Amino acid sequence: MKMLAFRSCVSTIALVAAGVALPVAAQTVTPDAAAQADPTVSQAASAGANSAQDAAPGQIPDAAQASEDIVVTATVGDRSRFRTSISVSQVSQEAIQNFTPRSEAEVLRNIPGLQPSDTAGPGGNANIGVRGIPVSTGGSEYVALQEDGLPTVLFGDINFGNNDYWIRFDQNVSRVEAVRGGSASTFASQAPGAVVNYISKTGDKEGGQIAYSNGLGYREHRIDFDYGTPVSDTLRFHVGGYARNGGGLTNERFNILRGYQIKGNVTKDFADNKGFVRLYFKRLDEQAPTNTTTPSLAKLDGNKVTGFSPLPTFDGRDGSSYSVYNRSFQYLDYDGGGVRRAEVQGIAPKVTSIGGQVHYVLNDAITIDDTIRYQWIKGNFTTQFINVQPLNGAGGVIGSTVNGLLVGSARYAAGPNVGQVYTGAYVNNNPNINTLMKDMDNFANNLTISGKLDVGGGKITATGGFFAMRQNIVQDWHVNRQISELNGENAAPLDLFSITGQQLTAAGQAGFNDNWGTCCSRRVDLQYTDYAPYLQVGYETGGLNLDASVRYDNVHGEGTAQGGVAGPNTLVRDALGTASIPSLVLSPTVEKIDYNDDYVSWSVGALYAFGSQTSIFARASRGGRFNADRRVLSGNFNADGSLNGQGKSTSVNFLNQQEVGVKQRGEIGAGSYTVEITGFRSTLTENNYDFTRINNPAPNNDPNISNGYRSYGIEFTSRLNYGNFHLAVDATYSNSKITDSATAALVGNRPGGLPEFLYVVSPSYDAGLVAFGVSVNGQTATRSDDFNLYTVTGSTFVNGFVTVRPVDNIELGLNVNNLFDKLGFRGGGTVNPLLSPTQGVFSNTALYGRTVTGSIRYRF
């Protein structure tokens, strides 16, 4: 009787939540064919299933049945979402495609618990947080992005090498699966917060598609294709990819966006259902814009930012730093090659990847899985940053000292106004950056042996594994001081002249390699190797599942790093004359890195299923996160490369998490629903170094980070299918606080850039001939920074799609992002009250304005 009352109560909560939810993005996940055939199928076998590809267009799968999909990410892979004691989301390829994500971070907005600042653009460089834990340096410190179970790079926050540089969502992806907290600590390295896995189609059923899409009102042309099929009863393949080019979402007059990806795999099944062997390959070669800062006017009410409007010459919705007048710039070579020229390409990754996977069923009790991959990676990060500085007045360029002389005037250095005096209100004084990512290769291998044993009325399972990964980080940084007009479309460089008429800059460049000081005139040649054995043991009887897991990471770092020292001035000539440009060159002092560090992560969980409709779970975890290249050139190493006292105390950050949750599924008349609610608590002690803070206004200009954080909150996810109608709701509430800090003023503050409430809500309707839907996604107010100087208003954005199928196999699509063309921001930012007490300049990256894409798709 008590159990019946409990289930009725949970069902009522689920129905109310689904009924009152605002509309969100459709997420359709079909049952995994392999998992349905054998509910104990291994992680590797399930990863190869092709559920999304098998789903027929226009067919809405049963929401409750979808919760039976086997989880293959950061777990043993033999339990369904409903029966595993972790928080997991599975998002189908079709659901993501409906809302045309404009970056990898936008793909992740449909996953509760994650906090992606999805404003960096298609090139990447997004900040991806999780469960109220901030991204203090950039990238995704505690979140791993994987392809078919292996991380794209070992560390998600590599300087100029974040994990979203090297991965692209396309039609090859069957589904995106994400595990937050829990077993992410022990089934993956360097990802205690979350693991996001892009799972590939593998050709289980014959079929494919080809699509052409075109920007309406902006230049972006894209062709997608994929095809998979069984060749015989034991052989199958899948191949696909895309090519695109154009001016990007900001509609530049040249092809800042261009390139392609091609991926494929071939699978050979063993006889007698003993498993399979699979080969993978991938080639990604493209350049894509990345946004850094797109400033706007901010309406101020005391210490509150209550709204935004465009600057007179810059609209954050479609303005950018890419210009026909800065398609290339000069930089000073470190190897004595003099002044060279770099093409502005945004982020330009080149990845060649080959890999393999073996799944072998030794007998009824023992299964062996091994996944291996080598990636040849290089590229460049070449772009112009933006910062607003007045031309005149307090803090202005005119009257300031540049290269030892007082500035008397600024003149256009290129464009139709070349040589004329610049009289605009603001200039952009942020650097242009050319980082040569010369060698980012990596090798990864993950081997597991899983066993199961029936004991009385229950079953014991055990999985032992060994993960090994080697990551190269070989880069040259060229961070040049640059002066340009503030203009959102085709900004021109500005040359500065002294009060006596002496030219101080050339083509807008005021210095080579010296914008962020000696730390960032940099060359690194580093290699990190992570060896990690791990063990999981579980017991299942009736509705009860218990499991515990432990992981031991031993990380070795080696290599060298060089900062900068003052070098000779360089004479540079442009259209206005010749300037003597100061520079930094590589220091003859080489920092050596040669050390080991190790740590233990663990996770313990329990789940109880009350029949087939309701389960509850609890879990506690502790996961380590190794600080890698962001620790060099910041006082952490002895002369022999070993860690000094500071280095030892700050080399590993630990994230502790506790979570409890309930999972409910059932029927509503002719429909079905699922609801999952997870309460979490997280604590983190973090030590890190962020060189980009050096030039920030005080007090937020200390690059050293030593903080303790506490966050607690709730994740909510729900799916409702009723006939042709589908409703999806994802939301996260997090209460975050800085509990301890080397900077006493921060204690008690909310970390900057983190909203308390994030949500994505969307309804869709698919009648076969026509399908349509909207997605409402937003967040509440954030603090501008860790000092909580300002509170920044929240933003809500609406996307939509319409699909028409006039004949069999043909689809015509119209997708709209930011339907109401709203100017808004994710995260915090810098507020400079330049104009008046009620109006200032807000600096962060705005979401793109309204973009409309038309497409035609042929399925076969």
Side-chain angles (χ1 to χ4, degrees):
M1 191 70 182
K2 290 181 179 179
M3 184 178 297
L4 178 61
F6 174 82
R7 290 164 61 176
S8 299
C9 179
V10 173
S11 298
T12 302
I13 294 172
L15 289 172
V16 171
V20 303
L22 297 173
V24 199
Q27 289 188 191
T28 57
V29 181
T30 57
D32 185 312
Q36 295 303 309
D38 178 4
T40 64
V41 67
S42 78
Q43 175 176 348
S46 181
N50 206 10
S51 59
Q53 179 172 284
D54 295 343
Q59 177 184 353
I60 299 177
D62 182 86
Q65 185 63 35
S67 64
E68 284 297 312
D69 283 359
I70 294 297
V71 180
V72 303
T73 301
T75 184
V76 292
D78 62 353
R79 291 177 185 159
S80 68
R81 287 166 47 197
F82 179 74
R83 294 290 296 238
T84 188
S85 56
I86 56 176
S87 299
V88 60
S89 296
Q90 295 167 322
V91 191
S92 74
Q93 199 270 349
E94 293 281 350
I96 297 171
Q97 176 184 289
N98 280 341
F99 293 103
T100 319
R102 296 171 292 184
S103 66
E104 299 314 305
E106 284 197 4
V107 173
L108 308 184
R109 288 213 67 84
N110 290 314
I111 299 172
L114 296 186
Q115 298 146 190
S117 296
D118 48 349
T119 56
N125 208 39
N127 296 336
I128 304 170
V130 61
R131 288 183 167 177
I133 297 301
V135 178
S136 59
T137 58
S140 54
E141 296 174 79
Y142 304 101
V143 178
L145 299 185
Q146 295 184 346
E147 282 188 290
D148 297 307
L150 292 176
T152 59
V153 287
L154 181 56
F155 308 106
D157 65 339
I158 297 174
N159 283 314
F160 298 109
N162 296 352
N163 51 21
D164 64 342
Y165 290 18
W166 320 109
I167 189 171
R168 296 291 183 266
F169 175 83
D170 64 9
Q171 291 178 179
N172 290 293
V173 177
S174 171
R175 70 181 187 269
V176 175
E177 189 168 86
V179 171
R180 288 94 60 197
S183 56
S185 297
T186 52
F187 278 84
S189 289
Q190 316 307 330
V195 176
V196 180
N197 191 11
Y198 284 36
I199 299 172
S200 297
K201 301 176 184 177
T202 58
D204 296 78
K205 182 179 289 187
E206 182 179 9
Q209 53 188 320
I210 185 169
Y212 170 74
S213 59
N214 186 35
L216 305 181
Y218 66 98
R219 289 191 313 110
E220 184 173 322
H221 310 279
R222 175 168 173 147
I223 295 176
D224 284 86
F225 81 97
D226 79 290
Y227 177 70
T229 187
V231 178
S232 68
D233 291 342
T234 62
L235 184 67
R236 63 188 186 274
F237 76 90
H238 186 272
V239 64
Y242 71 85
R244 59 181 176 176
N245 72 72
L249 298 163
T250 55
N251 203 27
E252 307 305 325
R253 297 183 190 176
F254 61 100
N255 287 351
I256 184 62
L257 176 68
R258 62 177 186 264
Y260 68 91
Q261 175 173 269
I262 185 167
K263 291 175 62 178
N265 56 73
V266 179
T267 304
K268 175 67 176 178
D269 293 316
F270 299 139
D272 302 321
N273 294 318
K274 287 290 187 178
F276 64 85
V277 60
R278 178 173 298 140
L279 300 178
Y280 293 97
F281 73 89
K282 167 180 141 177
R283 173 64 177 176
L284 169 64
D285 185 353
E286 76 166 12
Q287 66 172 58
T290 182
N291 295 328
T292 55
T293 296
T294 48
S296 295
L297 290 176
K299 184 178 179 181
L300 305 179
D301 181 6
N303 68 341
K304 295 181 180 179
V305 178
T306 59
F308 305 101
S309 59
L311 285 154
T313 58
F314 196 102
D315 189 331
R317 293 167 294 188
D318 58 14
S320 83
S321 63
Y322 299 100
S323 167
V324 295
Y325 304 121
N326 73 354
R327 292 187 61 179
S328 67
F329 59 80
Q330 293 179 316
Y331 69 97
L332 187 63
D333 181 58
Y334 287 143
D335 294 315
V339 174
R340 296 180 178 272
R341 188 161 289 276
E343 180 185 355
V344 173
Q345 296 179 310
I347 297 176
K350 292 179 174 57
V351 182
T352 301
S353 173
I354 59 172
Q357 182 179 356
V358 177
H359 168 65
Y360 186 69
V361 180
L362 189 63
N363 53 44
D364 290 342
I366 300 176
T367 302
I368 301 172
D369 291 286
D370 190 53
T371 307
I372 189 170
R373 186 198 63 213
Y374 192 93
Q375 295 195 115
W376 292 267
I377 303 178
K378 63 179 181 179
N380 57 277
F381 183 111
T382 313
T383 194
Q384 172 75 56
F385 283 21
I386 298 178
N387 182 60
V388 178
Q389 182 182 16
L391 179 66
N392 294 287
V397 174
I398 304 301
S400 68
T401 299
V402 173
N403 295 337
L405 296 174
L406 288 176
V407 177
S409 65
R411 296 179 180 272
Y412 288 95
N417 299 318
V418 62
Q420 297 182 25
V421 173
Y422 174 72
T423 58
Y426 300 105
V427 300
N428 170 22
N429 69 341
N430 236 7
N432 57 40
I433 294 180
N434 179 32
T435 297
L436 305 175
M437 302 177 288
K438 298 189 290 188
D439 179 0
M440 303 292 290
D441 298 356
N442 61 52
F443 168 80
N445 189 83
N446 192 47
L447 170 67
T448 65
I449 300 176
S450 301
K452 56 186 178 182
L453 177 66
D454 291 330
V455 177
K459 180 175 68 174
I460 294 176
T461 60
T463 298
F466 186 81
F467 171 81
M469 188 165 182
R470 184 183 68 244
Q471 178 69 58
N472 294 348
I473 305 175
V474 182
Q475 299 178 344
D476 280 359
W477 296 11
H478 300 279
V479 186
N480 304 314
R481 284 185 293 142
Q482 173 75 20
I483 306 293
S484 305
E485 66 173 325
L486 185 68
N487 197 323
E489 183 176 355
N490 291 320
L494 299 175
D495 275 345
L496 304 182
F497 290 82
S498 74
I499 57 176
T500 60
Q502 181 174 339
Q503 186 170 340
L504 305 177
T505 67
Q509 291 189 245
F512 289 125
N513 306 321
D514 63 351
N515 189 82
W516 287 329
T518 57
C519 81
C520 305
S521 172
R522 179 176 292 200
R523 168 172 286 175
V524 294
D525 188 343
L526 305 169
Q527 186 178 92
Y528 294 90
T529 306
D530 190 344
Y531 295 118
Y534 55 95
L535 176 67
Q536 182 271 347
V537 178
Y539 178 70
E540 179 177 350
T541 180
L544 178 66
N545 290 325
L546 303 173
D547 76 89
S549 52
V550 64
R551 187 183 191 93
Y552 170 76
D553 281 89
N554 185 290
V555 185
H556 177 70
E558 62 181 355
T560 58
Q562 290 171 267
V565 295
N569 283 16
T570 303
L571 291 177
V572 182
R573 184 172 182 82
D574 69 359
L576 303 186
T578 302
S580 179
I581 306 299
S583 63
L584 292 179
V585 297
L586 289 180
S587 170
T589 301
V590 178
E591 182 174 72
K592 183 179 180 180
I593 293 93
D594 187 4
Y595 70 103
N596 278 74
D597 205 352
D598 56 75
Y599 53 93
V600 174
S601 303
W602 56 264
S603 183
V604 178
L607 176 139
Y608 191 82
F610 298 87
S612 62
Q613 288 189 312
T614 305
S615 62
I616 59 174
F617 72 93
R619 182 169 288 274
S621 308
R622 176 186 190 257
R625 169 59 168 81
F626 184 83
N627 287 323
D629 65 307
R630 289 182 179 266
R631 302 304 291 162
V632 304
L633 299 176
S634 54
N636 292 286
F637 299 97
N638 296 312
D640 63 356
S642 62
L643 291 171
N644 59 23
Q646 173 180 291
K648 289 179 181 178
S649 65
T650 62
S651 64
V652 179
N653 298 327
F654 287 101
L655 178 60
N656 297 280
Q657 298 185 82
Q658 302 85 43
E659 50 197 313
V660 294
V662 58
K663 304 181 183 187
Q664 169 74 20
R665 59 187 182 182
E667 297 181 352
I668 305 175
S672 65
Y673 72 91
T674 64
V675 172
E676 298 181 20
I677 303 172
T678 303
F680 62 84
R681 183 180 184 275
S682 304
T683 58
L684 170 71
T685 299
E686 179 177 52
N687 294 280
N688 223 315
Y689 185 88
D690 181 10
F691 60 86
T692 64
R693 296 188 180 193
I694 293 172
N695 284 357
N696 281 354
N700 197 29
N701 57 351
D702 184 354
N704 295 288
I705 300 166
S706 182
N707 294 334
Y709 303 96
R710 184 273 297 147
S711 175
Y712 62 81
I714 296 174
E715 295 170 353
F716 176 90
T717 184
S718 177
R719 301 292 177 266
L720 170 67
N721 294 337
Y722 199 94
N724 296 327
F725 176 75
H726 179 83
L727 176 66
V729 181
D730 295 296
T732 305
Y733 167 79
S734 62
N735 183 302
S736 302
K737 184 168 70 172
I738 301 173
T739 56
D740 184 57
S741 179
T743 305
L746 300 182
V747 176
N749 288 354
R750 183 174 179 83
L754 290 181
E756 284 193 337
F757 187 61
L758 285 156
Y759 61 90
V760 181
V761 187
S762 75
S764 62
Y765 188 86
D766 193 331
L769 175 63
V770 62
F772 54 89
V774 296
S775 171
V776 181
N777 62 91
Q779 64 181 47
T780 55
T782 64
R783 302 296 193 269
S784 59
D785 53 37
D786 286 354
F787 287 91
N788 292 186
L789 299 178
Y790 289 87
T791 298
V792 183
T793 185
S795 297
T796 300
F797 301 89
V798 179
N799 301 335
F801 77 93
V802 176
T803 301
V804 178
R805 307 180 182 102
V807 297
D808 288 346
N809 302 329
I810 297 291
E811 292 183 358
L812 304 177
L814 190 69
N815 297 71
V816 184
N817 291 70
N818 196 356
L819 176 64
F820 299 110
D821 201 28
K822 183 170 183 176
L823 176 59
F825 297 82
R826 308 278 194 205
T830 300
V831 181
N832 193 341
L834 294 171
L835 305 179
S836 72
T838 60
Q839 190 176 56
V841 174
F842 183 78
S843 294
N844 196 354
T845 307
L847 265 72
Y848 288 110
R850 180 170 51 241
T851 54
V852 183
T853 304
S855 64
I856 181 169
R857 183 180 306 273
Y858 173 63
R859 300 181 185 268
F860 55 91

